[in-house]
Amino acid sequence: IVDPPHRRARGRGFGSAIAMGRFKTQHNGYSLAFSPFVEGRVAVTTSQNFGIIGNGVQYVLEQRGGPGAPLVEVARFDAADGLYDCCWSEENESVLVSASGDGSVKVWDVAAPPMANPLRSLEEHTHEVYAVHWNQVRKDCFLSASWDDTVKLWSLTGPPASLRTFAEHSYCVYAAVWSPQHADIFATASGDCTLKVFDARTQFSTLTIPAHEYEILCCDWNKYNDCVVATGSVDKTVHLWDIRSPRRELAQIAGHSYAVRRVRCDPWNESIVYTCSYDMTVAMWDYKAAGGAAGGVAAPLRRWGHHAEFAVGLDASALTEGVVGSCGWDEQVAVWHRDVDP
């Protein structure tokens, strides 16, 4: 394993000296999302009993005081069912959204008093909501993906009803992610083994790629190349796709020993990809270097083994270069700089 060259992180405060911030959650972790507004702030969703039955908690944590400071709880929202994913509003730094096991989408306001939360409970899906993602270009709408095989488009302006439902997948939709560069384009990943690309202005997908032979659990857009999408699968691999040439993957990363639960393209470097897996590790890859390794095993730039159970939540900060966060079924949340070990 080769460590990347040390580079001072760009950002407003922490720099490359940021140390591991940790927090223990009450229930099993499911997802983690960095705030697009407040440096050091993360949202973490958790579920009781590994998300099978029981309650959920949406946490908002902050690493205050600079390098070495612990993560502290600044808000906590309790839910009657497990919470599987979360995303921050791109319009309001205090608003975030959670995906719930009861089929609802919960909207929370960190700045509002406890009795005012949730601000809304959007209840249209007929099975678990597994993923949510806010539009980073239009900033006024978000997506929810569900085990009812559909994706729904929502806005918090107007009545509490979805704007459109996309019902093209034939099995659970595990992820729906907006393009970071095009206001109406999003990608979806499903248990039907396909990656689909949609234009939100039309009802049907513009592209379907049979991206893996097993269930696809996650996807993410490259932040620099608007035609590249990464997919992670039960088959233990990540595939990179150029949607202009979808007949064959652009690159393949095969370096986990169990399913890839989440994939994140780095907001600071076009070729860097982060993954977390049921093999309990978080890893950092250069997909351009791994591109020729199809069929073989690629070596990660870094691999971290700080989780003692499934590593399921993952994000990379868009405010500070090199800062990564993860959470797992071991009830541990970690935020660290990639140049140091957690």
Side-chain angles (χ1 to χ4, degrees):
I1 299 175
V2 178
D3 288 352
H6 179 83
R7 291 191 301 161
R8 179 162 179 78
R10 294 191 292 265
R12 293 194 298 271
F14 293 132
S16 60
I18 188 170
M20 164 65 72
R22 286 196 181 254
F23 185 87
K24 188 180 187 305
T25 56
Q26 182 180 352
H27 304 314
N28 309 110
Y30 255 89
S31 74
L32 178 147
F34 281 101
S35 166
F37 294 101
V38 182
E39 196 161 13
R41 176 179 284 187
V42 292
V44 177
T45 55
T46 66
S47 296
Q48 194 174 11
N49 300 313
F50 308 101
I52 298 169
I53 190 171
N55 303 324
V57 177
Q58 174 68 65
Y59 290 92
V60 177
L61 310 175
E62 280 188 14
Q63 190 171 36
R64 295 173 173 172
L71 288 165
V72 296
E73 179 182 311
V74 296
R76 172 188 169 133
F77 305 110
D78 292 289
D81 212 312
L83 300 178
Y84 296 139
D85 195 22
C86 62
C87 67
W88 288 97
S89 166
E90 294 282 342
E91 286 186 307
N92 185 328
E93 69 176 33
S94 298
V95 172
L96 67 159
V97 171
S98 305
S100 176
D102 64 6
S104 69
V105 177
K106 306 294 187 190
V107 184
W108 316 98
D109 187 343
V110 177
M115 295 301 292
N117 279 293
L119 294 183
R120 291 192 183 184
S121 181
L122 306 171
E123 299 171 359
E124 288 189 17
H125 284 292
T126 57
H127 290 289
E128 291 89 336
V129 181
Y130 212 60
V132 285
H133 194 246
W134 206 285
N135 190 306
Q136 298 163 306
V137 181
R138 285 179 49 184
K139 301 183 186 297
D140 64 349
C141 58
F142 63 93
L143 297 167
S144 60
S146 171
W147 289 2
D148 65 10
D149 309 349
T150 72
V151 174
K152 289 180 180 286
L153 174 66
W154 306 88
S155 174
L156 296 185
T157 58
S162 63
L163 303 175
R164 176 162 280 165
T165 299
F166 305 89
E168 207 173 297
H169 282 291
S170 59
Y171 198 64
C172 302
V173 187
Y174 294 122
V177 181
W178 290 104
S179 165
Q181 299 185 36
H182 298 286
D184 297 294
I185 305 300
F186 65 92
T188 59
S190 169
D192 65 13
C193 307
T194 66
L195 168 74
K196 290 180 180 284
V197 177
F198 289 85
D199 185 322
R201 296 165 293 189
T202 62
Q203 193 69 45
F204 302 105
S205 65
T206 58
L207 177 67
T208 298
I209 301 175
H212 296 262
E213 293 184 4
Y214 295 88
E215 288 187 281
I216 306 172
L217 302 181
C218 53
C219 63
D220 196 27
W221 291 85
N222 189 285
K223 308 305 185 285
Y224 293 88
N225 187 327
D226 60 358
C227 293
V228 173
V229 182
T231 55
S233 170
V234 170
D235 68 11
K236 314 172 196 174
T237 70
V238 171
H239 290 179
L240 280 296
W241 300 93
D242 185 329
I243 59 175
R244 297 165 300 185
S245 306
R247 289 182 177 271
R248 182 181 171 153
E249 66 266 27
L250 189 64
Q252 176 177 308
I253 299 169
H256 282 292
S257 54
Y258 287 100
V260 177
R261 180 61 185 84
R262 288 190 196 270
V263 60
R264 285 287 182 270
C265 295
D266 187 36
W268 299 88
N269 187 310
E270 179 181 347
S271 64
I272 298 298
V273 175
Y274 298 98
T275 56
C276 68
S277 167
Y278 290 152
D279 66 12
M280 308 185 209
T281 69
V282 178
M284 169 184 165
W285 316 83
D286 183 331
Y287 84 80
K288 292 185 176 180
V297 177
L301 298 176
R302 298 296 303 269
R303 190 191 294 275
W304 299 278
H306 52 280
H307 286 293
E309 257 290 357
F310 291 170
V312 294
L314 175 68
D315 200 13
S317 172
L319 298 181
T320 310
E321 183 178 8
V323 173
V324 185
S326 69
C327 67
W329 279 14
D330 57 0
E331 303 174 354
Q332 292 292 323
V333 180
V335 174
W336 73 100
H337 192 277
R338 68 188 183 205
D339 288 347
V340 300
D341 289 319

